[in-house]
Amino acid sequence: MAGNRKEEIVEVALKIIYRKGFTAFSYQDLSTEIGITKASIHGHFGTKEALGCHLLRRSHRELLDYLTEVEESGQSPAVVVEQMIDHHAEAHSRDESCLATILQNEWKLLPDSMQSLLAAHHATYLEGVARLLARGLETGEMRFTETPRDKALFLTTALRGTILDLRSLQPDAFATLRAQLLGILSEA
């Protein structure tokens, strides 16, 4: 039963972070939403920082699993990039953005331990996308003059910015932004 409670704390914490951000949420928020005492939460995660690190480690494992799955699937790199963009937009439409994207907005307010984990997450994502884009160049599906890493840096940064900006843009703006993000992979 303890494992289920810990997972419940994690899932509810994510929902609150999606809604309020990491620095704005408290163990009182968790306590109220789950219906348990703050002491019970502290029994699983001694500090908010420990919970944040747990969330980032979990997110990083999920990212590694995803990148491994994509690389082993042999799917078309262009299709995978399109799916990635759509996945981020779909998650955003459910008020569930990528944890790393949300936390990036709070970078200066995060403890050093979380900053280190977040930087590692972004580096892993960047390198995974760069490998995907390199494959796209090799197969001829993609055309661009930058190095795959430089193009991946632009694409991942633009995607995170797009997702964050969707909060204040009209709902139909994503279609335009999506087309532009995909278009940068066929420029020669």
Side-chain angles (χ1 to χ4, degrees):
M1 202 50 113
N4 291 341
R5 179 63 77 190
K6 183 175 184 177
E7 187 58 29
E8 182 180 17
I9 291 168
V10 165
E11 293 303 320
V12 172
L14 282 171
K15 288 179 183 167
I16 295 171
I17 291 168
Y18 294 146
R19 198 171 55 237
K20 295 175 77 168
F22 181 78
T23 56
F25 103 93
S26 68
Y27 275 16
Q28 182 61 52
D29 295 325
L30 284 171
S31 172
T32 300
E33 198 152 326
I34 298 172
I36 60 174
T37 65
K38 289 190 290 184
S40 178
I41 297 166
H42 280 282
H44 293 283
F45 300 101
T47 64
K48 185 174 162 182
E49 178 178 351
L51 174 58
C53 287
H54 176 84
L55 294 172
L56 278 166
R57 283 187 199 96
R58 177 179 132 161
S59 180
H60 197 199
R61 280 191 308 274
E62 290 170 354
L63 174 62
L64 288 169
D65 290 347
Y66 170 74
L67 292 172
T68 299
E69 179 183 316
V70 164
E71 289 174 7
E72 292 175 354
S73 74
Q75 281 185 309
S76 154
V79 169
V80 173
V81 169
E82 192 170 347
Q83 289 171 347
M84 282 175 24
I85 292 169
D86 291 345
H87 169 76
H88 282 286
E90 181 185 314
H92 176 77
S93 72
R94 294 187 315 264
D95 287 330
E96 297 175 3
S97 229
C98 167
L99 177 65
T101 299
I102 291 169
L103 294 178
Q104 188 64 41
N105 280 344
E106 302 181 63
W107 177 265
K108 289 184 177 185
L109 303 173
L110 296 175
D112 290 345
S113 60
M114 288 182 66
Q115 285 182 358
S116 294
L117 291 167
L118 184 56
H121 186 283
H122 283 310
T124 298
Y125 186 49
L126 176 63
E127 294 309 318
V129 173
R131 286 190 306 273
L132 183 66
L133 297 183
R135 251 189 27 216
L137 279 177
E138 289 168 10
T139 63
E141 289 182 68
M142 298 177 186
R143 293 183 317 277
F144 50 86
T145 57
E146 301 88 343
T147 66
R149 189 182 187 288
D150 286 349
K151 188 56 95 172
L153 179 61
F154 179 81
L155 180 66
T156 58
T157 303
L159 179 57
R160 283 194 304 267
T162 297
I163 296 304
L164 292 173
D165 283 352
L166 283 176
R167 296 175 185 168
S168 62
L169 296 174
Q170 297 299 320
D172 61 345
F174 180 73
T176 301
L177 296 168
R178 178 184 184 276
Q180 290 178 14
L181 286 173
L182 292 172
I184 67 167
L185 300 175
S186 59
E187 300 171 344

